[in-house]
Amino acid sequence: MNTFAALYPLLSIVVGALVVLLLEVFLKRKNRDYLAFISILFLLNAGRECIRVWNQGYTYFDGNLQLDNLALLLCLILTLATLLVILISMKYLRLQNVNFGEYYALLLFALSGMIIMVSSTDLLIIFLGLEVLSMSSYALAGLKIEDVRSTEAAVKYFLLGSFASAFLVFGLAFLYGAAHSLDIPAIVNFFRADTSLSLMALAGLGFVIIGFGFKIAWVPFHMWTPDVYEGSPTPVTAFFSVGPKVVGFAVLIRLFQLYWSESLNSQIVSSSLWVIAVLTMVAGNLLALRQRNVKRILAYSSIAHAGYLLVALLAEDNSGLVFYLFVYLFMNIGAFTAVIALSKKGTEYLDLENYKGIGFRYPWIGATLSVFLFSLAGFPPTGGFLAKFYIFASAVHEGFIWLVIIGVLASLISVYYYLRIVVYMYMHTATNDIEIDAYNPALFLVLFLCLYGVLQMGIFPGNVLIIIKQAVASLPIF
Amino acid sequence: MELFLFILLSILCIGAVLGMIIVNNQAYSALFLVLAFSCTAGLFALLDAPFIAVVQIIIYAGAILVLFIFVIMMVDIKEGLTPEKKKWTMALACILAVVLLIELLVALKSALSPMATSVSGQAGNASEIGHLLFTKYLYPFEITSVLIIAAMVGAIVLVKKKDSE
């Protein structure tokens, strides 16, 4: 149904960003927390609108904006991620002296870009949404103006991100030249009808994959990830590690859902993605072994997880992929929340040495961080185990035996560096005094919510799976 | 009249590009580039493409040139390339220029062939583009406004002075 109501979730976010920008002028510096609460109100409203139009299939702008169930579910996931990130930012921003009111506006703008991306099938609009997301991200990465590493992160992200955007546009131009349309259904139909292997279309698709591969951080395009994740303010890192991955895979789900076939171009793309998946899983996990900075460890771990997600994409397991994204949201934001909790004014404790004895000194942080790390490594009964299990099972079913063997071996490697943090927390005696004062009710709430999410999806995944199945069922829209 | 304008603009354009290469001062080079872009815009206008002509001036002669001049002011390269390096860049430039010439000749050959199709007169029409922008491409147009706000806010946040506690 073509109705203005389809615009409500997006409108709520954009209006929220503008209201925050306006109010920032009138608020005193110590009252900036109100901006966070206002943003949360608008986020909750957007979430409510998403739930209200579930199963309605609203569209607007001649179908350029499509709120099918998958788009709605992903909007909800992204809104939830942003909400958690805002909750963990409030205290952090004050302690680390990055207390800008614009921070919340930029987060909301980034979220609006992501919602634009997941709710359209037109690659032109998806590209514009990606640019909205990227522009806000570049600024967010550099917010710690006094910290050289943060500025380095912003510059690096900006330069490499612009390159990736250029690749994407280049690819879109080729695809338009070949398929005479940028609408995903038209492009996929073109590829399915194309028996003679059109080089132009294939090159275009390749460039588009490279552009998204950069945002998702697949291995040949991952160089920026550790530095940007390390330099950015930690809540922003949590946001980067979840948001762009979710939207990148959402677009790829739409692009590839009916694409795989016996034709030559499909074989070529499938085998190159196979290679990328192997590289991403192996290199991400191997490089993480050498790191001693917790943020860098989590950065490499997020690269490795992008590899597992790619396995799901190759195995056409869309519901498994969305489930993995859902679990990944909780465990990754949870882990970053614990890292944020271990900080005091002007200092963050990021080196492994600082984690000695934390488990006994701060039992809550230690215990929850351990659960999130176990989940990231894929131990039962956490959500991380089930997510990996579903993906690898469907990959075996589709005949990707070697891919699964490599994936399982890679996740065995990952156990070492995840558990090393746990070992440092519980099996070393504390050598230095760690004072923390970042522990506040909002962080506690987020830790609890993430813990609940990880365990709920590890033990009783049924309800979530039903919703995801409904969402994915709305997928073949052409 | 048209032929006269064409020849005038072409000579001016080629002269401006030559001046851009020969002049030693980078700021003058950038200004010569403005002249070259403006002449190209004039050539587009002669080809009945007013929209592309205006865009050429706004984007190339306006936005991109401002960017160039900013970079020239910030980087401030006093001495040019060393003679050793200059030889290499000259050789590379010659090769690339020959490649470009061949490419242009091939393109020209296919463009002049009787099979070539010409773009319809509507393509460069500003009102046609405006109509499409506010009907078929309304959503991308609106998204662009959000994009510009986000970019502006981001830029201001990064450069503004920190207010004291």
Side-chain angles (χ1 to χ4, degrees), chain A residues 10 18 21 29 32 61 64-65 97 100 102 106 109 112 116 124-125 128 131-132 135-136 139 142-143 145-146, chain B residues 135-144 146-147 149-151 153-160 162-165:
Chain A
L10 185 58
L18 296 178
L21 274 182
R29 210 179 149 79
R32 292 242 168 101
F61 292 121
N64 277 337
L65 174 74
N97 207 12
F100 299 112
E102 292 93 342
L106 284 172
F109 277 131
S112 69
I116 290 167
L124 175 70
I125 290 163
L128 282 172
E131 281 303 289
V132 175
M135 285 299 159
S136 327
L143 270 187
I145 294 174
E146 288 151 1
Chain B
T135 52
K136 194 178 167 200
Y137 295 103
L138 181 61
Y139 189 39
F141 181 74
E142 299 287 352
I143 296 172
T144 313
V146 177
L147 171 63
I149 291 188
V153 172
I156 292 171
V157 170
L158 288 186
V159 297
K160 82 171 178 187
K162 293 211 79 164
D163 41 26
S164 49
E165 283 285 330

Side-chain angles (χ1 to χ4, degrees), chain A residues 220-233:
Chain A
F221 323 112
H222 72 290
M223 301 299 180
W224 57 279
T225 320
D227 293 332
V228 172
Y229 279 24
E230 188 192 356
S232 309

Side-chain angles (χ1 to χ4, degrees), chain A residues 199-235:
Chain A
L199 266 185
M200 181 155 74
L202 202 60
L205 192 61
F207 281 127
V208 168
I209 290 174
I210 289 175
F212 280 109
F214 171 86
K215 290 284 164 198
I216 299 173
W218 284 336
V219 152
F221 323 112
H222 72 290
M223 301 299 180
W224 57 279
T225 320
D227 293 332
V228 172
Y229 279 24
E230 188 192 356
S232 309
T234 315

Side-chain angles (χ1 to χ4, degrees), chain B residues 9 39-50 52-54 56:
Chain B
L9 283 171
C39 294
T40 327
L43 289 174
F44 275 125
L46 279 183
L47 286 171
D48 269 343
I52 300 179
V54 173
Q56 177 86 11

Side-chain angles (χ1 to χ4, degrees), chain A residues 8-19:
Chain A
Y8 285 164
L10 185 58
L11 216 53
S12 172
I13 303 291
V14 175
V15 169
L18 296 178
V19 167

Side-chain angles (χ1 to χ4, degrees), chain A residues 318-333:
Chain A
N318 292 333
S319 56
L321 207 162
V322 177
F323 183 73
Y324 200 113
L325 287 172
F326 220 159
V327 175
Y328 179 75
L329 156 82
F330 284 116
M331 56 194 185
N332 221 36
I333 290 193

